[in-house]
Amino acid sequence: MASRLSYGMAREGLMPAALARVHPVRRTPWVAVLVTLGLAVLLAVSGGVRVLAQTTSLLLLTVFTVLHVALWRIKQRDPDPSPGVFVTPAWTPVAGGLACGALALQFPRAAYQRSLLVLAAGLVLYVLLNRARPQN
């Protein structure tokens, strides 16, 4: 999943263009796969599989918490969507965000430290790439 996400972000100009390279025969994002593999191996050998799993789970819960908050904000701004659009009750994203937040409280300190390092590295990469991109 991470390699496909990196590939898509590279195609949108949010990550280095090299990550958008695809294999000429298999049409897979081979550079993104190798970079993701390298990062996963680095994380796995630096703290073990348990810490890697905890860090990954915490990062996913963080993403889902942010997603639920965003959905709640969209629901607040546009309570009457267009006809034919799938609609859920307003409490659904609130309950999802609270559940994800509660689950995130169950992790050890090491998972939070590693997650913050990964998020900080992503933020630095994002800032550096945005400075390098020409503005329209």
Side-chain angles (χ1 to χ4, degrees), residues 67-79:
L67 173 78
H68 285 294
V69 170
L71 289 173
W72 176 75
R73 293 271 305 158
I74 289 170
K75 193 81 167 164
Q76 294 298 313
R77 277 193 309 202
D78 189 15

Side-chain angles (χ1 to χ4, degrees), residues 28-97:
T28 56
W30 67 275
V31 175
V33 168
L34 290 178
V35 168
T36 303
L37 173 66
L39 289 172
V41 168
L42 180 67
L43 285 170
V45 299
S46 68
V49 174
R50 171 177 254 161
V51 176
L52 175 63
Q54 290 171 340
T55 304
T56 303
S57 296
L58 182 56
L59 286 168
L60 284 171
L61 282 171
T62 303
V63 168
F64 285 127
T65 302
V66 170
L67 173 78
H68 285 294
V69 170
L71 289 173
W72 176 75
R73 293 271 305 158
I74 289 170
K75 193 81 167 164
Q76 294 298 313
R77 277 193 309 202
D78 189 15
D80 299 322
S82 303
V85 173
F86 178 75
V87 178
T88 61
W91 61 266
T92 306
V94 173

Side-chain angles (χ1 to χ4, degrees), residues 76-131:
Q76 294 298 313
R77 277 193 309 202
D78 189 15
D80 299 322
S82 303
V85 173
F86 178 75
V87 178
T88 61
W91 61 266
T92 306
V94 173
L98 289 173
C100 289
L103 288 171
L105 295 175
Q106 307 302 312
F107 290 92
R109 172 177 249 132
Y112 283 100
Q113 291 168 339
R114 294 171 74 85
S115 294
L116 286 174
L117 284 173
V118 170
L119 290 172
L123 180 62
V124 167
L125 182 62
Y126 177 76
V127 168
L128 290 175
L129 289 174
N130 266 349
R131 285 189 180 165

Side-chain angles (χ1 to χ4, degrees), residues 4-21 126 129-130 133-134 136:
R4 290 291 178 168
L5 182 62
S6 301
Y7 165 72
M9 290 175 71
R11 285 189 60 193
E12 295 293 323
L14 298 172
M15 298 210 38
L19 294 173
R21 289 191 190 142
Y126 177 76
L129 289 174
N130 266 349
R133 269 176 49 181
N136 293 349

